[in-house]
Amino acid sequence: VSPMKALNNDVARNLTGPLKALTGLFKEQGLQVPDIRVGVRSGDTPESERRRMVRRPPEILVTTPESLNLLITSASGRSILGNVSCVILDEIHAVAGSKRGVFLMTAVERLAHLAGEFQRIAISATVRPLDTVAELVGGYALSGPATAQAHTKRPVRTIVDQQAKRLELSIRSPRPDKELSKEPERDAVWKALARESRDIIDQERTSLLFVNSRAMSEKMAMLVNRGGKGRLAYSHHGSLSKEIRREVEEKLKSGGLRAVVATNSLELGIDVGDLDRVVLVQTPPSVSSTLQRMGRAGHRVGETSRAVLLTSHSEDILNAAVMAGAVRERDLEPLSLFKAPLDVLAQVLVSMAVASGGRGLDVDEAFAMVCM
């Protein structure tokens, strides 16, 4: 289970390749090999593929928190989840402190009622506090005799990689030249950022630029392309069609694009191929986000993750200076979890009771409302 569609597709690709290689190796040795197939279920999955999954469930299913909840609420979905033996929650930091985290963990607990107890593995390179999130993932199991059952914490073990990733973050503050100074200040600043970005793109085979909103993704790509020779940059964000997103992701990974301007849609754990450094246009919203974005460069084991942070105004320069210190010290913001997630659900149930006018409540509908 991963929080983003792009990461779903990337995980599936990275599983399919090794599985094919292993299958070929087994067959060369004259050995029988089990049929292990990977399926992706998200909002992008065609209806024909969804029906095929029900007829013949994949051995490995890659999905999102929302799609997992939808699967559990349908008879066909429950039919393919009854034999689950392991659930991996990728990039857990991205959802743990939000309503999506409540939504995800309620789905995991409902899955435990359906399939029985299974192994739970949560993964993140930027999570704090570790023990608190680990307890959230473990949850509570019902134990004891039928006459006196009680909920007890499941045993959880945390494993930390002690090898710190090498990071290099430089900060630049592009200023408008004389020609741009005649334009409105805001336009001149963004054109200066685009000019600096083009200079970096010209020095690299492939560049990945991160911005903080979808509108800025479109605008920055347009400005970079307007000042260059031919189309240099492509935009990537969650509002684009699945076909465009997948094409950009595949071409970026293969080195077929000069530059991509992305939001956090390409931030989480995605292997985007060989990048020497990434460009951060304006200071990211959190230390965790900064580290995740920097991690797209030097993604291989032992390599250094390098990034250039381009600031846009005086306050952004201050933010960048603070961020540089936090990155150096790995000073991550602690996640704030919901103290009583069932209270959130109770509020939803009350609201639905009023809205239903006495027609009754549907528990699946109530769980879906938690995320709204």
Side-chain angles (χ1 to χ4, degrees), residues 40-60:
V40 177
R41 173 64 186 265
S42 70
D44 288 346
T45 306
E47 187 60 35
S48 59
E49 179 63 25
R50 299 184 187 191
R51 290 194 297 267
R52 192 178 301 116
M53 283 185 190
V54 174
R55 292 193 301 269
R56 192 184 176 202
E59 284 69 35
I60 302 174

Side-chain angles (χ1 to χ4, degrees), residues 18-31 33:
L19 284 171
K20 286 183 177 179
L22 286 170
T23 299
L25 186 62
F26 269 73
K27 290 181 177 179
E28 286 177 6
Q29 301 296 325
L31 301 172
V33 57

Side-chain angles (χ1 to χ4, degrees), residues 13-234:
R13 281 192 297 265
N14 291 337
L15 286 170
T16 302
L19 284 171
K20 286 183 177 179
L22 286 170
T23 299
L25 186 62
F26 269 73
K27 290 181 177 179
E28 286 177 6
Q29 301 296 325
L31 301 172
Q32 288 190 339
V33 57
D35 187 14
I36 302 176
R37 293 164 298 113
V38 181
V40 177
R41 173 64 186 265
S42 70
D44 288 346
T45 306
E47 187 60 35
S48 59
E49 179 63 25
R50 299 184 187 191
R51 290 194 297 267
R52 192 178 301 116
M53 283 185 190
V54 174
R55 292 193 301 269
R56 192 184 176 202
E59 284 69 35
I60 302 174
L61 178 65
V62 187
T63 188
T64 60
E66 291 73 24
S67 291
L68 177 59
N69 270 281
L70 289 173
L71 284 169
I72 295 175
T73 60
S74 67
S76 59
R78 289 192 294 270
S79 70
I80 71 175
L81 294 173
N83 296 318
V84 170
S85 59
C86 179
V87 172
I88 300 174
L89 308 177
D90 201 9
E91 303 292 357
I92 187 63
H93 71 275
V95 298
S98 68
K99 290 183 179 180
R100 285 190 84 195
V102 176
F103 203 39
L104 171 60
M105 295 317 303
T106 54
V108 172
E109 292 300 341
R110 296 171 72 195
L111 185 56
H113 283 283
L114 174 66
E117 290 295 325
F118 45 76
Q119 184 181 25
R120 305 176 184 204
I121 301 174
I123 304 172
S124 174
T126 54
V127 65
R128 176 186 174 197
L130 190 61
D131 291 338
T132 301
V133 177
E135 286 188 10
L136 172 71
V137 171
Y140 290 79
L142 195 62
S143 60
T147 55
Q149 286 189 322
H151 286 89
T152 57
K153 288 183 179 180
R154 292 185 179 90
V156 178
R157 181 169 58 144
T158 57
I159 301 173
V160 181
D161 182 6
Q162 300 298 334
Q163 182 179 356
K165 180 75 173 179
R166 294 195 300 272
L167 304 171
E168 291 183 9
L169 177 62
S170 61
I171 300 174
R172 301 182 190 176
S173 298
R175 299 269 68 88
D177 53 26
K178 290 183 179 180
E179 181 181 346
L180 292 178
S181 62
K182 301 175 183 178
E183 301 187 17
E185 183 179 358
R186 182 176 177 83
D187 292 341
V189 167
W190 278 98
K191 288 182 179 180
L193 290 170
R195 181 195 60 208
E196 187 76 19
S197 297
R198 282 195 301 274
D199 291 342
I200 296 173
I201 293 169
D202 289 340
Q203 299 170 22
E204 310 286 353
R205 193 181 77 141
T206 303
S207 298
L208 179 57
L209 289 70
F210 282 105
V211 293
N212 295 330
S213 71
R214 296 174 180 180
M216 288 299 102
S217 172
E218 299 280 357
K219 180 175 182 177
M220 195 66 185
M222 178 192 69
L223 291 174
V224 168
N225 291 330
R226 182 178 294 173
K229 296 179 180 179
R231 185 170 184 177
L232 293 175
Y234 288 74

Side-chain angles (χ1 to χ4, degrees), residues 169 171 173 212 280 282-287 290 309-327 333:
L169 177 62
I171 300 174
S173 298
N212 295 330
L280 310 177
Q282 296 187 310
T283 307
S286 67
V287 181
T290 303
L309 200 168
L310 305 181
T311 61
S312 59
H313 53 272
S314 56
E315 183 180 347
D316 196 27
I317 294 174
L318 178 60
N319 291 337
V322 174
M323 184 62 74
V327 166
E333 304 91 347

